[in-house]
Amino acid sequence: MLNRVILMGRLVADPELRQTPNGIAVASFRLAVDRNYQTKGSGERQADFINCVAWRQTGEFISRYFSKGRMIAVEGSLQSRNYEDKTGAKRTAYEVVVDQAYFADSRQSASGGNTFAEPSYGGNGGMQQAAPRFEEPQRGQNLSVGNLGGFESLDTDDGDLPF
């Protein structure tokens, strides 16, 4: 069986970081995720508001680097839990248990500062650098011209194939 969820959306509010009685960090937050279609009348996109929870280092990472309005991409699994509300009615809650979180916007678009590569945290240990972002070439644009991103151009061609 497969239970895998991948979402990208904006934080509705700042993540709430708490500690369990055993000292384990847990962050709770809600994502506003746009639907893929627009309504006919107004042309606006509807959004779904999805509850998420992240444990341990992933939760600490999210609460430290993300705030209300930031775009975030998360991977995890969908879980349900049953509980009784204050009136005694039985309820079911659904939430995404986040395994990995990634920056989905640049620092510049979130806060007006300079754009730089930001770390992302995968729950399997350690910080990782975010992949560099490349702009998609426009139609008719020569792909061999432009920013080489730290690579150097080789002008020598001896005509021999390497195999």
Side-chain angles (χ1 to χ4, degrees):
M1 291 189 224
L2 181 66
N3 180 357
R4 200 73 187 149
V5 176
I6 301 172
L7 298 170
M8 185 169 72
R10 294 200 180 272
L11 287 163
V12 175
D14 289 342
E16 181 182 331
L17 183 66
R18 297 179 314 248
Q19 301 282 332
T20 66
N22 294 336
I24 298 172
V26 58
S28 301
F29 56 96
R30 288 184 70 178
L31 289 182
V33 179
D34 288 339
R35 293 184 181 171
N36 290 333
Y37 58 88
Q38 299 175 351
T39 58
K40 286 185 180 181
S42 65
E44 293 183 14
R45 288 185 185 257
Q46 295 286 321
D48 292 303
F49 296 88
I50 300 170
N51 293 322
C52 300
V53 63
W55 294 87
R56 297 179 176 79
Q57 293 92 347
T58 306
E60 291 172 352
F61 171 77
I62 291 169
S63 68
R64 180 177 301 146
Y65 292 106
F66 290 92
S67 59
K68 178 180 178 179
R70 287 292 306 260
M71 182 78 75
I72 185 173
V74 296
E75 286 185 60
S77 59
L78 184 64
Q79 288 189 0
S80 63
R81 57 186 167 84
N82 298 316
Y83 67 97
E84 283 188 24
D85 64 9
K86 294 177 183 177
T87 64
K90 293 186 178 185
R91 298 265 199 196
T92 302
Y94 294 93
E95 60 193 7
V96 174
V97 179
V98 175
D99 298 330
Q100 297 182 18
Y102 307 94
F103 288 99
D105 63 359
S106 65
R107 175 70 74 173
Q108 181 178 20
S109 65
S111 65
N114 293 331
T115 302
F116 59 92
E118 299 183 69
S120 63
Y121 181 78
N124 55 4
M127 298 293 280
Q128 303 167 343
Q129 280 298 95
R133 295 188 178 118
F134 297 102
E135 292 184 20
E136 188 173 323
Q138 295 182 6
R139 188 176 192 142
Q141 183 180 3
N142 186 348
L143 296 176
S144 64
V145 178
N147 183 3
L148 297 176
F151 293 98
E152 65 180 69
S153 176
L154 297 177
D155 292 331
T156 58
D157 182 18
D158 60 4
D160 289 336
L161 297 175
F163 49 89

